[in-house]
Amino acid sequence: MISSSSLSKLGLGVILFSVLFTSEIKSESCGTFISSWDRPITLVDNWQFRKGDNLDWRDESVEESFWVKRSVPDYGISKTENLTGYHWYRCSFLLPENFTTPAEPIAIQLGRIRDIDEFYLNGTLIDKTGNVLPKLDVDFQKVRIYSLPTHLLKAGNNTIAIRIYAATNLNGLKVAPVLDKERKLRQNLFTSEIFPMVCGYVFIFMGIYFLVGSIVRGRTGENFFFALFSIFIGFYVLLRTQHRNILFESFTWSYVVELLVLICLPPFFLNFLHQYLKVKRNLVLLCYEVFLGILFIITFFFRTPKSWILVIALFNYALPVALGLASYLFLKHGRQNIIKLRYILIGLGCLLPTILIDSLSALEIISFPGTIFLGFLLFLVMISIQLSNDMVLGLQNFMSQEKDLIQMERVKTGFLLNLSSEFKSGMEKIYIAIDKISRPNKAPATKSKSKAAVKALSPTEIIKKAEDHISYMSYMVEEALLLKKLEDKTYQPKFETFNVSELILTCVESIENHLGQKRKNTSIEVKPASLEIHQPPELLFAIIRNLVENAYIYTNIQTEVSIEFYQKDGFDYLVVTDEGLGLSQIEMETIFQKFVRGYKETKSEIPGAGIGLTLVQATANFLGGSVTLKSAEGMGAKFTVKFPEKGKKI
């Protein structure tokens, strides 16, 4: 047990930490004198407040008889009056007589405001978020940071006025406004959201990983639904950050999508449990899914804060049904499957409290934002550990089977290991980029780091890097699905007329972005340069991507790579040549087989899935053509793909 003296020391430590931490922020009252912008200044006391609306209230001086004094934050539901509609806040600060223009731009951070606001400085409209007319357009998730134009700042008294329109009975300021250098305010905002943004991308990568694993291993049940669950959680987390402003121009649509994603999460998890435990779906689950389906459809047509509160309330009212179904499965099948469920139960124990806290925060009952990110992270990690253990046990069981089955399982395991390498590589690059942003002055650990790793990245470049890696993982998923359709003869081509040069350039740019290689010695020759063909573009893209990517990853960056495309005697020809390691005769005999890669140790260390050339051959055959390979050890490789000009021959 912890002694009372230990608790006292711990409490004293917390108090001292709080004092030291908060000493950097200077809390002041309205009317304060500001002599320096070296520290942030938080305006807490003596705010003037008034319900109603009059544009004259933006002026530097107003009749103060009907205004009341308030301290902020004062956000919530008023117990004495209905404040739905307009209400105003006013505050002033003093600058010295010898006031000079600040070296860096100054801004004010107002936090999140519900629902629409306009910000005035000395009677002039500076900026606003949302609109009341011609139609209601709200945004209650954006953190307001408004610049203070230096030409409007003056020696003596300066007045700020905030005009707020509340579409519901939730009103007021959630945080006390802060005056500081604009650069620091925006940097602090981004830094505060690094953790949830990293979590969002981790969840998406994790989902793609298990989605591909479900396709390769043929276990499309539990892995498939867990993958969807993880991917949707990733998007949900990203939408809960300022990342939504990058993904969507309209807050209304971003919030509708957020609600739609949230509605999908319980069915995905329940179906994951049913598939994982090999249990049939029951009538209660079907009715619950019908209810959520109806809620999903009507949410498309909801565009106002009041309707969104209704959706969240209905979702929360039905949430006990999902908890009851999950509890029923655990109680009925948990004892005989305790080994399979132990990590999932631990994850649920971490997640459920954060879901409750997040739901109450969404309804504005309490305010503990961000807790659900940690809950989701622990929950998904626990399930991943459980599924990974199941994979290991499955591989151990296969080892006792016949030799052919063992060999096939080893091949598939190799594919998953290669995929895991790609997953790990993408995560490491995202971590390096975000670490560089969060600690821009950190010196490189070694002299061998590339210039790309050392270069300071902007938030937009970080997001672009993450999206490039997600796009690459998506290519792998799409190509695995495409190969399966070609092998099952269920693929339905969509013929289009397109420019060959543009397609090749797009493909090469995608490969170079992913690999971080900007090769100057790659030649592209299309005859004629403006050649257009009528073929399924996704098939030709898959052929080019795999052949060119192999040429890049199996050669030194100084090696020449050549891409040619021309027509001759009624056929299209694609030729990809490199001067890399080359292949032996034995390798050439099996290189087009599924999951087979080069045998040399240097090649086994190169990332890849092992289905690229199989897909190239299957695609060429589908188009009525063929693919040939000429190579020798140390002499590079030349792939030639030939297919009829006007689609597949009959």
Side-chain angles (χ1 to χ4, degrees):
M1 295 180 62
I2 301 176
S3 65
S4 58
S5 60
S6 298
L7 290 175
S8 300
K9 293 178 180 178
L10 178 62
L12 180 60
V14 171
I15 294 172
L16 290 175
F17 175 80
S18 301
V19 171
L20 292 173
F21 181 77
T22 56
S23 62
E24 294 297 323
I25 300 178
K26 187 177 181 181
S27 297
E28 297 285 0
S29 300
C30 291
T32 186
F33 180 80
I34 300 176
S35 59
S36 171
W37 299 105
D38 292 337
R39 292 192 303 174
I41 299 172
T42 304
L43 300 173
V44 176
D45 299 319
N46 293 331
W47 281 81
Q48 292 179 309
F49 172 84
R50 185 170 180 180
K51 184 181 183 300
D53 188 41
N54 188 336
L55 286 180
D56 291 339
W57 296 345
R58 65 189 173 183
D59 296 338
E60 296 185 53
S61 61
V62 296
E63 171 58 48
E64 299 182 1
S65 302
F66 299 98
W67 293 75
V68 296
K69 297 288 187 179
R70 278 195 176 184
S71 297
V72 293
D74 59 349
Y75 180 76
I77 300 175
S78 176
K79 297 180 180 179
T80 59
E81 57 181 337
N82 180 14
L83 294 180
T84 302
Y86 283 105
H87 50 284
W88 286 69
Y89 287 86
R90 288 172 55 85
C91 184
S92 61
F93 58 90
L94 298 173
L95 295 177
E97 291 297 329
N98 58 351
F99 167 74
T100 57
T101 302
E104 290 189 52
I106 303 301
I108 184 170
Q109 178 171 317
L110 304 179
R112 294 178 174 87
I113 293 179
R114 187 111 196 205
D115 293 290
I116 300 166
D117 67 281
E118 296 175 353
F119 176 74
Y120 297 88
L121 174 63
N122 292 329
T124 301
L125 176 63
I126 302 302
D127 207 343
K128 66 177 183 177
T129 300
N131 290 291
V132 178
L133 296 173
K135 66 176 183 178
L136 191 67
D137 182 18
V138 306
D139 188 341
F140 48 81
Q141 291 291 349
K142 179 182 177 182
V143 176
R144 276 69 161 171
I145 297 179
Y146 297 142
S147 300
L148 302 183
T150 54
H151 69 276
L152 293 179
L153 293 173
K154 60 182 182 179
N157 190 65
N158 291 264
T159 302
I160 58 178
I162 309 170
R163 183 193 189 199
I164 299 176
Y165 181 86
T168 66
N169 58 350
L170 295 163
N171 51 76
L173 295 176
K174 287 188 175 183
V175 297
V178 179
L179 293 167
D180 200 1
K181 298 174 182 177
E182 184 172 359
R183 173 185 55 82
K184 291 175 60 178
L185 290 176
R186 297 193 182 278
Q187 183 178 2
N188 292 340
L189 174 61
F190 178 77
T191 303
S192 68
E193 295 190 335
I194 285 180
F195 177 70
M197 289 177 65
V198 171
C199 287
Y201 284 115
V202 168
F203 300 158
I204 292 174
F205 271 114
M206 191 180 298
I208 294 175
Y209 170 71
F210 280 100
L211 183 61
V212 176
S214 70
I215 296 172
V216 174
R217 294 183 57 84
R219 301 175 63 179
T220 57
E222 62 267 25
N223 285 351
F224 176 75
F225 281 108
F226 174 70
L228 292 180
F229 183 70
S230 182
I231 291 172
F232 273 57
I233 286 181
F235 280 115
Y236 179 74
V237 170
L238 290 179
L239 287 172
R240 296 292 298 273
T241 68
Q242 300 303 306
H243 197 87
R244 73 165 69 236
N245 299 324
I246 299 174
L247 296 175
F248 293 90
E249 293 183 0
S250 167
F251 171 80
T252 299
W253 270 111
S254 74
Y255 200 74
V256 169
V257 171
E258 180 182 331
L259 293 177
L260 295 177
V261 170
L262 179 64
I263 291 170
C264 292
L265 293 179
F268 286 159
F269 180 69
L270 290 174
N271 279 281
F272 157 72
L273 283 181
H274 280 79
Q275 293 287 334
Y276 187 64
L277 296 173
K278 305 296 187 268
V279 178
K280 292 184 178 180
R281 293 153 48 86
N282 54 36
L283 183 61
V284 178
L285 175 58
L286 179 61
C287 293
Y288 180 64
E289 290 177 337
V290 170
F291 169 78
L292 290 183
I294 296 173
L295 187 61
F296 186 95
I297 293 173
I298 64 176
T299 302
F300 271 108
F301 304 98
F302 285 172
R303 299 289 183 273
T304 63
K306 289 184 178 179
S307 62
W308 295 335
I309 291 177
L310 175 62
V311 170
I312 296 173
L314 291 174
F315 175 82
N316 286 334
Y317 292 151
L319 191 59
V321 176
L323 297 178
L325 287 169
S327 300
Y328 171 76
L329 291 174
F330 286 125
L331 292 174
K332 185 175 181 179
H333 305 280
R335 181 170 297 179
Q336 61 268 34
N337 294 286
I338 187 63
I339 296 179
K340 293 182 65 175
L341 293 174
R342 62 186 186 279
Y343 288 110
I344 298 178
L345 289 171
I346 295 173
L348 276 174
C350 299
L351 176 64
L352 291 180
T354 62
I355 289 180
L356 179 60
I357 293 172
D358 188 72
S359 298
L360 295 176
S361 297
L363 290 173
E364 310 289 359
I365 297 175
I366 61 176
S367 180
F368 287 98
T371 55
I372 198 168
F373 305 139
L374 179 60
F376 278 143
L377 178 62
L378 296 175
F379 178 59
L380 293 179
V381 167
M382 290 296 108
I383 296 182
S384 300
I385 293 173
Q386 188 74 65
L387 294 180
S388 299
N389 287 344
D390 292 344
M391 287 184 181
V392 173
L393 292 175
L395 293 176
Q396 291 175 348
N397 292 333
F398 279 125
M399 293 300 293
S400 63
Q401 298 179 6
E402 297 180 2
K403 183 178 180 180
D404 292 342
L405 293 177
I406 295 174
Q407 181 63 27
M408 181 56 67
E409 192 59 26
R410 286 175 178 171
V411 171
K412 291 183 178 180
T413 303
F415 171 81
L416 288 177
L417 290 174
N418 292 327
L419 181 65
S420 300
S421 176
E422 293 294 335
F423 175 82
K424 179 182 178 182
S425 175
M427 293 307 304
E428 288 176 347
K429 291 178 181 179
I430 293 175
Y431 172 78
I432 290 172
I434 292 182
D435 182 69
K436 190 62 184 176
I437 282 292
S438 60
R439 292 183 288 179
N441 297 322
K442 181 182 177 182
T446 64
K447 296 182 179 180
S448 61
K449 285 190 176 181
S450 65
K451 293 181 180 180
V454 176
K455 180 183 177 182
L457 301 177
S458 68
T460 303
E461 289 172 326
I462 289 177
I463 294 165
K464 182 63 171 63
K465 262 186 162 309
E467 290 175 345
D468 284 342
H469 290 300
I470 291 176
S471 176
Y472 180 78
M473 295 293 290
S474 299
Y475 286 147
M476 299 183 70
V477 176
E478 292 169 1
E479 290 182 357
L481 293 172
L482 175 60
L483 179 59
K484 180 174 176 58
K485 290 180 181 179
L486 291 173
E487 291 178 338
D488 295 342
K489 298 181 179 180
T490 59
Y491 178 71
Q492 298 295 326
K494 295 181 180 179
F495 285 84
E496 297 178 16
T497 300
F498 57 91
N499 184 281
V500 177
S501 296
E502 292 178 359
L503 184 71
I504 294 176
L505 288 173
T506 300
C507 187
V508 171
E509 181 181 4
S510 173
I511 293 169
E512 291 185 343
N513 285 340
H514 171 67
L515 297 178
Q517 299 183 15
K518 295 294 183 182
R519 296 202 178 191
K520 299 180 180 179
N521 46 7
T522 297
S523 63
I524 301 174
E525 184 176 7
V526 179
K527 301 177 182 178
S530 60
L531 176 63
E532 293 185 346
I533 64 174
H534 188 70
Q535 296 286 0
E538 68 171 332
L539 295 186
L540 190 59
F541 187 93
I543 293 174
I544 297 172
R545 196 187 82 82
N546 283 284
L547 292 180
V548 176
E549 186 181 65
N550 281 349
Y552 271 51
I553 64 178
Y554 281 95
T555 63
N556 185 276
I557 194 171
Q558 307 298 332
T559 304
E560 293 186 3
V561 175
S562 171
I563 307 169
E564 301 177 68
F565 194 97
Y566 59 92
Q567 293 182 328
K568 182 179 179 182
D569 299 331
F571 286 87
D572 292 327
Y573 288 84
L574 171 68
V575 182
V576 178
T577 308
D578 69 73
E579 298 179 0
L581 300 175
L583 296 96
S584 66
Q585 186 62 38
I586 297 177
E587 290 174 301
M588 290 173 63
E589 291 176 358
T590 59
I591 197 64
F592 288 99
Q593 295 180 13
K594 191 187 298 184
F595 307 122
V596 173
R597 308 179 70 226
Y599 300 131
K600 295 182 180 179
E601 292 182 2
T602 53
K603 294 179 182 178
S604 64
E605 296 172 359
I606 297 175
I611 64 170
L613 293 181
T614 307
L615 177 62
V616 169
Q617 187 178 60
T619 304
N621 293 339
F622 178 84
L623 294 173
S626 61
V627 55
T628 57
L629 167 63
K630 292 183 180 180
S631 182
E633 289 188 271
M635 300 298 292
K638 179 179 180 180
F639 289 88
T640 303
V641 182
K642 169 186 174 183
F643 49 90
E645 285 186 19
K646 296 184 179 180
K648 188 173 181 180
K649 282 188 175 180
I650 299 177

